[in-house]
Amino acid sequence: MSVTLGMPGIGGPTQPAPGSKVDRADLDEAARVGLGIRLEATMRGDVAFDGGTRAAYASDSSNYRQVPLGVVFPRDTEDMVTALAACRDFGAPVTARGAGTGLAGQTCNVAVVIDTSRHLREILQIDPDRRIARVQPGVILDDLRDAAEEFGLTFGPDPATHAWCTIGGMIGNNSCGAHGLYAGKTVDNVESMSVLTYEGDRFEVGPTHDDDLAAIIAAGGRRGAIYESMARIRDQHLAKIRGGFPDIPRRVSGYNLDELLPEHGFDVARALVGSEGTCALVTEATLRLVTSPKHRRLVVLGYPDIFLAADNVPALLECKPLGLECIDQVLVDQTRRAGLNLDYLPMLPDGGGWLLAEVGSDDPAEADAMSAELAARAPGNPAVRRYDDPRDAAKVMAIRESGLGATAKPPGETNHEGWEDAGVPPARLGEYLRRLVGLWDDFGFRGALYGHAGQGCIHTRNNFDLHTTEGLGQFRRFLERAADLVVSVGGSISGEHGDGQARGELLSRMYDAEMIEAFRAFKTAWDPHDRMNPGKLVDAFPLDTNLRHGPDYHPDRPAVSFAYAEDAGDMSAAVSRCVGVGRCRRFDTGVMCPSYRATRDERHSTRGRAKMLEEMFRGEVTENSWRNEDVKDALDLCLSCKGCKVDCPTHVDMATYKAEFLSHYYRNRPRPRADYALGLLPWVSRLATGMPRTANLITRSALVRRAAGVTTSRPAPKFARRSLRRLSAGRSAIAPTRPAPTASADVSPARVVLWPDSFTDAFSPDVGRAAVDALTSAGFAVDVPTQWACCGRTLYDSGMLDRAKKSLSRLMDVLEPFGDVPIVVAEPSCLATFRDELPSLLASDPRAASVAGRAVGVAEALTAAGSSLPRHPSAGVQAVVQPHCQGRSVGATKHDAAVLAALGFEVSVLDAGCCGLAGSFGFNAEHADVSRQIAELGVLPALADVPPDAVVVADGFSCATQIEQLAGRPTKHLAELVAEAFASAAPPAG
C-alpha cells in the first residue's frame, strides 16, 4: 500500500495502515524523468536518477526506506541554487544528506537527495586566533579535527562516526558524542551559517541584535518575512519557550526555539541546528573550535551491573571528567559473539556494568593526578583500571564506539533501533534504566545499554518485530509508553540521533499543543510549501510506516552456491546484514572500502552495494533479476579484498556476494576476455611452468595482453624457471635438520603439509623453499604435494563457482593421502580460500570443514608449535608489514608481528588499507587506473615515510607485486626472514 500524504489538516489521510508507504512527493514517473533531464542540463555537478543510485540511497542507518526521486552532487553553492530552482519548477521535495548515517530516517525521503559529501568538502578557513573554522557541509569531521590539531584546537562534538560523518549532517542532527561534557552539542559550537531556502534565498544567519533584527524585517523580502515570523513565534510563545524545554544536557528533540530568546541573542543559526534539513540547506558553516587537552587518561570502573554504575554518575561528575561513557554486560556479550574487539575485552576490569571516565590536561603530571583522584573518589567500591597510554585507552573506547554495530546483528539475533537515544537528567539515570528494563520485560524485549552516562543519554537496540502487523502494534505501544516514561523523569525522547520519522510523531507526548504549534509555525516560516524533507521531525510520517523490512518485505530466496551459514542459507538475509553504519566510507584506517576511497561514490561502497543487492531482491526500483545491470556495475569495482568481512561491524561479506551474483549473471553467457585470462591463470600457470621462457615471452607481448583484456601499464609477473612442485618432486617428507626446539631428539617431529599454491608454485618458488626451510628448521617434517591442484582463488572474483567447486574437490582429493595434519599455506589469499570459500561452497562435503580447520599460515604454524626462533642477521632493523587483506579477513595475519619481533626486528604494521592490486583486479585493463589510485591513497604514501633500510614484509603475492612495481621497494615474505634467521644461526657445515 502506498499513500501520498498532505500535511495534517490539509487533506491527507489521517492514519495510514502500519507498514504502508507514505510520502508527500506527488510526482509521476514522467515528471521525475523530466526533472532528471533538467538537472543534467543545468548542473555542473553529478546527477544520478538511475535505478542503481536510487536503490543505494533508498535507506539510511534507520528502520526506514523511501526511494528518492534521484540524487544530485553539487560542486558549489551555485549548483545547489540551480538544483533547487529545478525542483521548485517541478514541485519536487528535497532532502540533504552527508554520510547517510541517520538513525531516525531523516536522510531518506521520496525527494531529490542533495549529497554534499562528494564535492563540498573544503575547509575554507581556520583562524586560530579567533578559534573558528569555516567549512563546507561535506567536510568529514576528522578531517576538520586533523586540520585544527595543527593549532592545538579541535571541534568538540565527536560522535562514534567521527571518521566519516560530515559537518552538514552533524548540524542537521545536532550531533554530540563522547565528549559532550567537555564540548557540548553541535548547537553549542556553531557561530554562524550560510543557508539556502527552497525558494532560492541565500543569506547569513547567526546571533541577531535587536537593531539588526528590526532592520532585516524592515528590508522585507523573503529574509525579512522569515525573520518577522520567527520574532512573532518567539513573542507569542515566550513563556512556553522559556519553560517548555527540559533542562538537561542532551535535549535534541524538536526545534531549538529557545535560541530565539532575547537572552540567547536571537541566534538563528543555532535555532536551525538540529532541524534535519526541514527548513533550509546549509552551504557553509562557521564553527567554534576549542582547545584539546594534550594528555588524557582513561579510568575504567567496573560495577556489578549497569544500574549501580548509573547511580554513581552524579558523584563522578564532580571530578569534571572530559567524558563519562558506559557499557553493560549485554553489550560485552554481544560484542564477543559478533567477533568484535576480542583482544580488547579483557582490558575491562571485573564487573557487569562499566563506566569509562576520561580526564585530561596539558600538564601530564596534572593528568596523572586527576586520574588517580577520580579512581580514589569513585563511589560504590568498583573494580578499577587506569590507562595512561592513549593507544590502550583507544582500544577500550573501541568497545564502546562499536556498540551500534555489535548490537545490530549478533549471531542468532536481529535488533532494531527505535528507542536508542533518549536523554534524561544524569541524577535520574539509574531510575530511568531500571524502569526501562522493566518496560522491556512487560513487552518481552531485551537489549544492551551503553552510551553517554555523564549526560544521561543511553543507546540501545531491541528485538522489535517489525515484520508483522501484530509486531508493529506492539512496537508502537512500547514507544508510546517509553516516551511517557522519559517525560516522567524530565527527559527528552531524543538525546542525540534526532527525531526524523522515528520520533517525530512522539513529540506530542513530550511537548504540549502550544509548543507543537510553535514548531509547525517555525517550519512554515522557512518552508511554507513543505518541500524541505517533508514528513520528518514536524508533522512526521507515522513511525510504523515506510519501514525497510516491514510486513510487505518478502524478498526472493534464490538458489545459491555459498552456504551463508550465519543467515540460514538465505542470501537476501545476508545482504540485509548492512544496517547502514557507514564505516565503509572512512578513509583513515582499516581496509574497507578501497573502491569508495577512490571514487567517493556510494554505489561503490560496501553499504551501497549491499543496499542495491537488497533492492534487487525486492525488485521495486531496480530489476529483480540476476541479470541486473545496476548491481553488475556497482560490483565491477569491488576488489574482493574481504576488508568488509572484518571491518564491517555486521560482517557484510561483499566478496562472497559478488562471486555469487556474477556466477548467476554469466550463467550461459560469454564473459569478458579478462575474466578468462585472469580467472584461469592457475591452469595457464600449470602449462607455463613447463615452458617458462616461452610463457614469459607471450605474457610480455602488449598485443597479447590487450587482446586478453589485461593491462599493459604494468609488467606481467614472470613465471619461475622451475616451479615449487618440480623442485620438490621425488622427495619424501623433508625431515628437520635438527630436533624441534621444544622436543628431545628421540621424539618424532610434527608433520605438516606445505601447500604449493599456484602463486607460490609458479611465480615465487623461492618463497615456498624458504617456508620449507623455516618449518624444517623449527622442527617440523614437511610434505610438499607434487600432484597438481588449485584452490581456485582467481575464480571467485569473476564468479566461476562451478569450476571453483570442482577445483576444491580435486584439492581435497590431493590432500587426503596426507592425513589429518596441519596444512601450511604461504599465500594469504589462498589460505583465506581454504578457510572461507572451501567450507561454504562445499558445505555438504565432510572433508571441507576438516581441511579448513587445519589450514594455517607460516606464522601461525610457528606460533602454535611454540618454536624458539633465532635472531635475524638484521635484528634491530625496522620491519614494516603490509598485511594481506584476505589473510586479515580470516585472522591469519595476527601472529606476523610477534614472529618478526622474535627474530629481533622493530616491527610496525601498516594500517594503510588495501594495496589496490587485489589479485586479478589491478591487472584488468578496465581497473588498472583505480588500482593505482587506491595504492596512492594509502600504501604508497605510507611506505614513503619508511626508512630505506627497513625491511618491507608482504606475504601476499599481490601486495608484494604492487609495492615492488609502484613503490620500487623490494619485499620479503615472512618465511624468507625466518629461514634466513635459522640459516645464519646454523653451525658451519663440516
Side-chain angles (χ1 to χ4, degrees):
M1 176 179 179
S2 181
V3 178
T4 298
L5 285 178
M7 288 182 67
I10 311 182
T14 55
Q15 187 61 46
S20 61
K21 291 182 285 188
V22 295
D23 67 74
R24 295 185 184 141
D26 199 24
L27 265 74
D28 61 22
E29 181 62 11
R32 187 191 72 81
V33 172
L35 174 57
I37 294 171
R38 161 78 176 273
L39 289 165
E40 283 270 17
T42 55
M43 283 185 65
R44 293 192 308 109
D46 312 312
V47 176
F49 271 51
D50 60 284
T53 302
R54 296 172 68 211
Y57 281 78
S59 54
D60 49 16
S61 193
S62 70
N63 294 323
Y64 299 98
R65 170 188 176 270
Q66 290 183 283
V67 180
L69 302 173
V71 186
V72 298
F73 306 88
R75 289 193 175 274
D76 51 28
T77 300
E78 293 303 324
D79 247 3
M80 297 175 79
V81 172
T82 299
L84 285 181
C87 290
R88 281 198 307 277
D89 289 347
F90 281 79
V94 299
T95 293
R97 177 160 163 152
T101 57
L103 283 156
Q106 57 268 75
T107 52
C108 59
N109 213 327
V110 182
V112 173
V113 173
I114 298 180
D115 186 336
T116 62
S117 67
R118 183 178 295 181
H119 300 302
L120 296 173
R121 47 190 175 86
E122 186 177 351
I123 299 172
L124 302 169
Q125 177 191 24
I126 292 181
D127 186 334
D129 296 326
R130 296 170 58 201
R131 292 186 178 180
I132 62 168
R134 189 163 58 91
V135 301
Q136 292 181 320
V139 168
I140 293 173
L141 171 58
D142 273 2
D143 289 348
L144 172 60
R145 296 168 73 187
D146 290 344
E149 193 66 38
E150 295 181 22
F151 305 99
L153 301 171
T154 192
F155 185 66
D158 58 342
T161 54
H162 53 81
W164 60 94
C165 71
T166 66
I167 297 297
M170 293 180 69
I171 290 171
N173 275 7
N174 195 7
S175 300
C176 192
H179 292 98
L181 284 171
Y182 175 68
K185 304 187 291 291
T186 297
V187 68
D188 304 310
N189 295 274
V190 170
E191 295 290 311
S192 64
M193 297 191 301
S194 299
V195 299
L196 173 64
T197 72
Y198 187 81
E199 303 299 324
D201 306 287
R202 301 162 59 180
F203 46 87
E204 293 285 321
V205 295
T208 316
H209 296 296
D210 290 345
D211 292 345
D212 295 328
L213 177 60
I216 292 169
I217 294 173
R222 277 287 295 141
R223 186 189 187 198
I226 292 170
Y227 274 68
E228 183 177 23
S229 295
M230 290 190 293
R232 184 169 56 251
I233 293 167
R234 179 197 65 183
D235 295 341
Q236 287 180 353
H237 305 285
L238 189 63
K240 178 59 64 177
I241 293 172
R242 279 203 173 112
F245 290 102
D247 185 17
I248 58 174
R250 286 295 189 97
R251 190 274 305 168
V252 301
S253 279
Y255 291 120
N256 295 328
L257 300 185
D258 51 332
E259 295 292 348
L260 300 177
L261 293 172
E263 55 267 34
H264 294 159
F266 201 82
D267 195 327
V268 179
R270 294 189 176 189
L272 285 172
V273 172
S275 58
E276 301 179 359
T278 60
C279 297
L281 299 177
V282 177
T283 62
E284 289 182 14
T286 301
L287 310 172
R288 185 182 72 171
L289 303 176
V290 296
T291 58
S292 178
K294 296 178 182 178
H295 302 281
R296 302 189 180 208
R297 307 289 184 260
L298 185 68
V299 182
V300 187
L301 309 171
Y303 290 90
D305 57 48
I306 193 65
F307 311 114
L308 291 172
D311 291 340
N312 288 290
V313 164
L316 289 168
L317 291 177
E318 296 176 6
C319 296
K320 300 191 182 306
L322 300 173
L324 184 58
E325 302 291 285
C326 68
I327 56 178
D328 75 346
Q329 184 65 52
V330 178
L331 175 65
V332 169
D333 292 342
Q334 290 180 339
T335 298
R336 184 176 289 111
R337 286 163 51 202
L340 298 172
N341 301 315
L342 297 180
D343 293 337
Y344 306 160
L345 292 174
M347 298 175 73
L348 295 172
D350 292 340
W354 294 267
L355 295 177
L356 287 66
E358 186 183 42
V359 296
S361 169
D362 287 341
D363 180 352
E366 184 178 11
D368 291 339
M370 295 169 71
S371 170
E373 180 185 9
L374 190 146
R377 290 181 56 181
N381 194 32
V384 179
R385 287 191 184 176
R386 294 167 53 189
Y387 292 102
D388 297 342
D389 188 323
R391 292 169 296 185
D392 290 335
K395 293 174 182 178
V396 178
M397 287 301 298
I399 302 170
R400 157 65 191 88
E401 288 187 351
S402 64
L404 190 152
T407 59
K409 282 187 175 290
E413 292 183 48
T414 296
N415 297 314
H416 300 281
E417 66 279 357
W419 192 254
E420 81 286 348
D421 75 318
V424 301
R428 302 187 71 175
L429 181 58
E431 173 194 354
Y432 165 68
L433 293 182
R434 289 181 175 90
R435 292 175 63 183
L436 177 65
V437 172
L439 190 59
W440 289 352
D441 292 341
D442 291 346
F443 283 85
F445 295 148
R446 61 186 180 274
L449 296 167
Y450 62 98
H452 316 293
Q455 293 193 302
C457 179
I458 299 299
H459 302 315
T460 183
R461 281 180 180 242
N462 304 106
N463 56 321
F464 300 131
D465 171 15
L466 306 182
H467 307 288
T468 66
T469 302
E470 295 78 10
L472 287 183
Q474 188 183 43
F475 176 63
R476 171 177 285 277
R477 289 189 295 273
F478 169 79
L479 292 185
E480 291 172 346
R481 286 185 59 184
D484 293 342
L485 165 60
V486 163
V487 172
S488 74
V489 297
S492 171
I493 59 175
S494 175
E496 182 166 33
H497 296 154
D499 299 315
Q501 181 174 350
R503 284 170 287 277
E505 188 187 355
L506 298 173
L507 288 176
S508 60
R509 306 183 88 90
M510 178 176 168
Y511 298 108
D512 65 13
E514 180 183 350
M515 187 71 88
I516 295 296
E517 184 53 40
F519 289 160
R520 184 175 289 118
F522 183 80
K523 157 78 168 173
T524 302
W526 287 93
D527 180 32
H529 303 294
D530 193 29
R531 298 290 82 186
M532 298 293 295
N533 209 16
K536 312 295 177 174
L537 197 152
V538 66
D539 295 323
F541 299 131
L543 57 83
D544 51 8
T545 61
N546 295 328
L547 293 165
R548 179 183 169 200
H549 297 147
D552 64 338
Y553 181 58
H554 303 291
D556 286 346
R557 185 168 178 170
V560 289
S561 295
F562 288 100
Y564 303 102
E566 293 183 353
D567 297 286
D570 186 354
M571 183 181 175
S572 66
V575 301
S576 292
R577 286 183 158 275
C578 176
V579 295
V581 173
R583 195 182 188 281
C584 45
R585 291 171 59 103
R586 75 185 300 166
F587 290 82
D588 62 325
T589 187
V591 175
M592 177 177 79
C593 178
S595 51
Y596 176 77
R597 293 179 184 182
T599 64
R600 292 184 182 262
D601 188 330
E602 177 74 12
R603 295 174 306 153
H604 296 299
S605 69
T606 304
R607 179 177 70 179
R609 293 178 179 121
K611 291 185 181 299
M612 291 173 72
L613 282 163
E614 182 177 291
E615 291 292 333
M616 181 188 79
F617 288 124
R618 188 188 293 267
E620 178 184 329
V621 66
T622 190
E623 185 182 8
N624 182 0
S625 167
W626 287 118
R627 300 286 171 89
N628 187 305
E629 294 298 330
D630 293 329
V631 174
K632 165 66 165 53
D633 290 345
L635 290 171
D636 183 58
L637 293 187
C638 172
L639 282 75
S640 299
C641 66
K642 289 186 175 287
C644 49
K645 188 176 176 69
V646 176
D647 291 346
C648 174
T650 56
H651 303 307
V652 167
D653 184 2
M654 194 53 59
T656 294
Y657 310 158
K658 175 184 177 180
E660 185 76 65
F661 173 85
L662 292 179
S663 73
H664 296 272
Y665 180 89
Y666 283 117
R667 190 171 299 280
N668 300 320
R669 298 174 82 181
R671 295 171 175 272
R673 291 165 299 171
D675 282 7
Y676 296 110
L678 299 170
L680 300 179
L681 179 63
W683 287 263
V684 173
S685 299
R686 184 183 183 187
L687 296 174
T689 54
M691 47 179 184
R693 290 184 179 178
T694 303
N696 287 327
L697 284 173
I698 293 172
T699 58
R700 281 203 298 268
S701 167
L703 181 64
V704 170
R705 292 164 71 183
R706 277 194 291 267
V710 176
T711 184
T712 58
S713 63
R714 63 165 76 236
K718 293 181 63 175
F719 293 102
R721 293 172 60 186
R722 294 190 70 191
S723 70
L724 177 61
R725 281 187 173 86
R726 291 177 185 272
L727 288 171
S728 304
R731 302 189 184 193
S732 58
I734 302 168
T737 56
R738 61 183 63 81
T742 55
S744 59
D746 59 349
V747 174
S748 297
R751 300 180 70 87
V752 296
V753 171
L754 177 73
W755 178 251
D757 64 87
S758 294
F759 299 103
T760 305
D761 184 51
F763 298 106
S764 306
D766 288 347
V767 169
R769 292 303 306 166
V772 170
D773 291 343
L775 293 167
T776 55
S777 296
F780 292 98
V782 182
D783 288 297
V784 180
T786 55
Q787 189 177 359
W788 192 89
C790 177
C791 69
R793 174 63 261 165
T794 57
L795 299 172
Y796 305 101
D797 299 350
S798 54
M800 298 183 184
L801 298 186
D802 290 341
R803 180 180 286 270
K805 290 179 183 179
K806 294 176 182 178
S807 187
L808 287 170
S809 292
R810 174 174 170 77
L811 176 146
M812 291 192 294
D813 291 341
V814 170
L815 283 170
E816 201 160 8
F818 294 96
D820 294 333
V821 300
I823 305 160
V824 180
V825 186
E827 168 56 41
S829 63
C830 297
L831 176 58
T833 303
F834 272 73
R835 288 184 174 176
D836 195 345
E837 282 86 0
L838 169 59
S840 185
L841 275 178
L842 299 181
S844 61
D845 191 323
R847 300 176 298 173
S850 172
V851 171
R854 289 183 282 122
V856 295
V858 174
E860 290 177 302
L862 295 170
T863 302
S867 301
S868 298
L869 302 178
R871 288 176 66 81
H872 192 275
S874 298
V877 169
Q878 185 179 3
V880 179
V881 182
Q882 165 62 13
H884 188 278
C885 299
Q886 291 175 338
R888 176 176 175 267
S889 75
V890 292
T893 61
K894 60 186 178 181
H895 297 297
D896 292 358
V899 169
L900 292 168
L903 297 177
F905 289 104
E906 296 292 330
V907 185
S908 62
V909 180
L910 291 182
D911 187 10
C914 179
C915 73
L917 186 55
S920 63
F921 182 86
F923 280 101
N924 187 313
E926 294 182 358
H927 302 152
D929 290 343
V930 175
S931 171
R932 177 181 290 270
Q933 188 177 354
I934 291 168
E936 290 171 345
L937 287 170
V939 171
L940 297 186
L943 288 174
D945 296 329
V946 172
D949 64 341
V951 178
V952 179
V953 183
D955 285 0
F957 180 74
S958 290
C959 299
T961 301
Q962 186 83 315
I963 291 169
E964 290 169 5
Q965 290 186 349
L966 298 188
R969 295 195 65 140
T971 65
K972 287 280 192 178
H973 192 289
L974 179 141
E976 293 178 293
L977 295 173
V978 174
E980 289 169 0
F982 274 117
S984 67

